[in-house]
Every structure is written in structure tokens, then in C-alpha cells.
Amino acid sequence: MSADVDAFVALTQKYADVPELTPTMVNEYIKKIEVFAPDKSSGRWVQKVKIYFNFVDDVDIPVISEPIITKQPMNAENRKTA
């Protein structure tokens, strides 16, 4: 287990100052991601996502009480020109 922790720490140090997350980085950190069906039984949409990291067993990520809103990058089709 200590070898796995050392590998995780080394990987984290390797990517300490990167400006953007790349697919290569994600593949090095994450073994798999499970996305569960959305649930609205509480009156709000809630969707559970479970991330399995490489090198470490089970990591509990705290629940975020506020929704996460992602920004879609603008592509050439969405841009307006003068």
C-alpha cells in the first residue's frame, strides 16, 4: 500500500502547477467513473457520481450543497462576428 501512496504523491507532484486538466492526466489519476441515474425524490435533482482513483483505495469526496454549473466552451459555430 505504501508503494501506491508514494506513486499517488509522485503523480500529484508531477501535475502540481498545470493550468488545465488533460485527458492524459485524468487517465493517470482515475481508474473508472460511475455515473448513477438522476434522482428527484427530494424535490431537487441529485445525481451521484462515484470516482475510483488509481493508487488509493476508497476516497470519500464531500457532498457539495450547491449545484455545479459547467461552462461550455464556445466553438466557431456559437461565435458572433461583426
Side-chain angles (χ1 to χ4, degrees):
M1 173 117 171
S2 68
D4 287 343
V5 171
D6 292 340
F8 186 78
V9 169
L11 185 61
T12 302
Q13 290 173 341
K14 176 181 173 182
Y15 294 125
D17 293 321
V18 295
E20 182 176 303
L21 189 63
T22 66
T24 301
M25 289 182 225
V26 171
N27 290 331
E28 287 186 81
Y29 271 107
I30 297 173
K31 186 184 308 181
K32 71 177 180 176
I33 300 173
E34 284 182 56
V35 179
F36 297 84
D39 177 38
K40 195 177 178 185
S41 61
S42 66
R44 290 183 23 201
W45 285 106
V46 176
Q47 187 160 18
K48 181 179 175 185
V49 175
K50 188 166 186 178
I51 302 171
Y52 296 86
F53 292 93
N54 289 319
F55 311 115
V56 293
D57 287 331
D58 196 16
V59 177
D60 285 325
I61 298 174
V63 175
I64 299 172
S65 60
E66 295 183 21
I68 298 174
I69 309 224
T70 60
K71 291 182 179 178
Q72 296 293 328
M74 285 189 87
N75 57 28
E77 296 170 357
N78 293 340
R79 292 188 190 147
K80 294 182 180 177
T81 57

